[in-house]
């Protein structure tokens, strides 16, 4: 009885993959060629080197001076006020930072609560945020999470009181990714601030570093340090132009869009993201993205239609320099859980579905992170 196997080709150049000769097209080490899942995207060694594809989602970069500053926080047993954008923060953690602040008291300010539907219970959302922090090896419970929507008029007195109760007269370091709302929090804090010391608020280089920090005296021996926002270079927001960024960042409560993906079908997320169902039964999904982001389901010729839509600028938003699939990283997400799950793209949004042994493939601009987690909105 005869047996047929699909010939495996390089996803970029199309050469037949082989592990016999390094000098011939399509070479890939045998341990990769033989061990990889048949659903995985493979690139020959040459294309991988030329295109610098990422084999796993990347973390944002952080400067050594920033790490040095947080080492002081750890040494002094300081309190950390960690501000996150609750719409999209799942891939913003930086292991170099979390490794240092592990064990410190942490208050999480989950900003932009107004972007999520009111139907979401605050208790469940707090637990979701705390769970993501615990995944990052930070000891945070739901009681350590404050949900808010920071604006120039937000009353943050309850947050200030909570910080005062938690810090035990120790220093406070305010950290968070750029765009999380950290500056809004500090500005609101200063509007209600009363200096009970003889020291002044100063913005200077943090000792021993080139990092500019605002130092706010809290009592005779402790300070609040307003630190610079950490990088979002693994976010879609760092890959698009200003006009596309305005489309990508929601300014009002998001509404889920329901549709069903069958194996072989794709969801185009503007011209900057794509989610394919590679394996599994037809799966109802709910897509949570800014209302300005164009969503389109495609059933056939998905590669051709996706690239054609980008070339014709019929998809929105788009990212400069993206003209072909080679400009995207591709990740396969195998779902083993049976409960409600999310697959998300940092800075862009996510889909929610019920796990049923599916395999999804996610395309994102190179260097953009994706995540898979329990459902944020149930």
């Amino acid at each position: 009885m005869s047996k047929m196997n699909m010939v495996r080709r390089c996803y970029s150049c199309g050469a037949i993959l082989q592990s016999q000769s390094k000098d011939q097209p399509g070479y890939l080490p045998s341990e990769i060629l033989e061990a990889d899942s048949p659903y995985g995207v493979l690139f020959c060694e040459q294309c991988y080197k030329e295109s610098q594809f990422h084999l796993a989602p990347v973390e944002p970069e952080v400067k050594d001076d920033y790490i040095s500053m947080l080492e002081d926080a750890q040494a002094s047993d300081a309190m950390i006020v960690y501000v996150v954008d609750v719409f999209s923060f799942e891939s913003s953690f930086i292991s170099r930072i979390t490794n240092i602040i592990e064990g410190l008291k942490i208050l999480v300010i989950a900003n932009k609560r107004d972007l999520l539907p009111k139907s979401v219970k605050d208790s469940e959302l707090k637990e979701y945020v705390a769970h993501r922090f615990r995944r990052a090896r930070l000891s945070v419970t739901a009681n350590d999470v404050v949900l808010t929507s920071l604006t120039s008029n937000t009353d943050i007195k309850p947050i200030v009181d909570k910080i005062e109760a938690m810090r035990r007269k120790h220093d406070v370091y305010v950290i968070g990714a750029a765009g999380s709302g950290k500056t809004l929090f500090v500005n609101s804090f200063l509007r209600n601030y009363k200096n009970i010391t003889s020291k002044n608020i100063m913005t200077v280089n943090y000792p021993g570093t080139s990092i500019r920090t605002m130092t706010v005296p809290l009592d005779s021996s402790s300070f609040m340090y307003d630190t610079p926002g950490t990088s979002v270079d693994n976010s879609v927001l760092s890959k698009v132009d200003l006009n596309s960024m305005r489309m990508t960042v929601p300014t009002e409560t998001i509404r889920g869009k329901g549709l069903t993906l069958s194996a072989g079908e794709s969801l185009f997320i503007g011209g900057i993201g794509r989610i394919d169902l590679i394996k599994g039964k037809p799966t109802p999904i709910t897509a949570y993205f800014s209302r300005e982001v164009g969503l389109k389901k495609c059933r056939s010729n998905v590669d051709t239609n996706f690239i054609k839509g980008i070339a014709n600028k019929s998809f929105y938003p788009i990212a400069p320099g993206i003209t072909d699939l080679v400009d995207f990283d591709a990740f396969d997400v195998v779902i083993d859980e049976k409960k409600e799950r999310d697959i998300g793209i940092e800075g862009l949004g996510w889909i929610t579905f019920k796990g049923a042994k599916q395999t999804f493939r996610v395309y994102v601009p190179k260097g953009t992170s994706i995540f898979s987690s329990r459902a944020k909105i149930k």
Side-chain angles (χ1 to χ4, degrees), residues 322-340:
I322 289 184
T323 60
D324 205 334
L325 282 180
V326 73
D327 300 315
F328 289 84
D329 283 332
F331 301 101
D332 282 1
V333 182
V334 180
I335 304 299
D336 293 323
E337 300 86 353
K338 294 183 179 180
K339 297 182 179 180
E340 294 291 314

Side-chain angles (χ1 to χ4, degrees), residues 14-303:
I16 294 175
L17 295 172
Q18 52 86 19
S19 57
Q20 287 75 41
S21 176
K22 263 195 168 186
D23 300 326
Q24 296 300 313
Y27 174 77
L28 191 64
S30 59
E31 60 269 22
I32 298 177
L33 182 58
E34 294 170 4
D36 195 83
S37 160
Y39 301 101
V41 175
L42 289 181
F43 301 89
C44 69
E45 191 171 74
Q46 185 61 33
C47 285
Y48 175 77
K49 289 179 179 179
E50 290 178 353
S51 302
Q52 296 182 331
F53 288 92
H54 296 273
L55 295 180
V58 296
E59 292 184 350
E61 294 183 355
V62 61
K63 295 180 179 179
D64 290 342
D65 277 357
Y66 196 93
I67 296 300
S68 177
M69 176 184 65
L70 291 183
E71 287 174 343
D72 284 354
Q74 176 62 254
S76 64
D77 194 26
M79 177 186 173
I80 302 295
V81 173
Y82 205 135
V83 185
V84 298
D85 173 352
V86 75
F87 172 74
S88 184
F89 73 97
E90 286 82 354
S91 299
S92 65
F93 294 104
I94 304 172
S95 57
R96 290 185 69 194
I97 290 177
T98 56
N99 288 343
I100 292 174
I101 66 174
E102 184 178 358
L104 295 180
K105 283 189 173 296
I106 299 174
L107 176 67
V108 179
I109 299 178
N111 186 29
K112 304 185 184 180
R113 169 63 179 90
D114 57 318
L115 295 182
L116 302 185
K118 292 181 180 178
S119 59
V120 183
K121 294 181 180 179
D122 283 356
S123 58
E124 293 181 353
L125 190 52
K126 286 182 178 182
E127 182 50 46
Y128 173 88
V129 173
H131 171 72
R132 295 303 302 179
F133 270 78
R134 291 195 294 271
R135 287 286 303 272
R137 296 179 55 189
L138 297 176
S139 181
V140 171
T141 70
N143 290 331
D144 302 320
V145 178
V146 176
L147 301 175
T148 188
S149 300
L150 292 169
T151 67
S152 58
N153 298 319
T154 303
D155 178 13
I156 66 164
K157 187 177 185 307
I159 301 177
V160 173
D161 290 344
K162 194 170 182 70
I163 292 173
E164 188 61 31
M166 289 179 65
R167 74 180 185 89
R168 301 164 300 152
K169 296 190 179 300
H170 288 211
D171 290 335
V172 175
Y173 288 71
V174 184
I175 69 174
S180 63
K182 186 178 62 63
T183 299
L184 275 172
F185 166 72
V186 173
N187 288 344
S188 295
F189 177 87
L190 291 176
R191 276 196 301 273
N192 297 278
Y193 171 76
K194 292 183 180 179
N195 192 346
I196 60 174
T197 76
S198 59
K199 301 173 183 178
N200 296 322
I201 298 175
M202 296 188 297
T203 299
V204 295
N205 285 2
Y206 188 85
T209 76
S210 60
I211 295 178
R212 299 289 287 179
T213 59
M214 180 188 294
T215 305
V216 182
L218 299 177
D219 57 39
S220 60
S221 61
S222 58
F223 300 85
M224 172 182 284
Y225 296 95
D226 175 25
T227 72
T230 53
S231 171
V232 291
D233 57 0
N234 71 331
S235 167
V236 158
L237 300 181
S238 70
K239 318 299 180 186
V240 297
D241 59 22
L242 182 59
N243 186 53
S244 290
M245 185 184 295
R246 288 173 178 151
M247 295 180 181
T248 304
V249 178
T251 57
E252 55 186 335
T253 303
I254 56 173
R255 296 178 181 174
K257 179 177 181 179
L259 59 135
T260 298
L261 285 182
S262 297
E265 294 182 336
S266 299
L267 175 64
F268 298 166
I269 309 164
I272 53 177
R274 176 176 141 192
I275 299 177
D276 301 354
L277 180 60
I278 300 298
K279 180 183 178 183
K281 297 178 180 180
T283 302
I285 68 172
T286 304
Y288 293 99
F289 299 91
S290 167
R291 298 183 191 184
E292 301 298 320
V293 172
L295 301 178
K296 181 178 180 181
K297 177 179 170 180
C298 187
R299 295 182 173 86
S300 61
N301 300 319
V302 292
D303 289 350

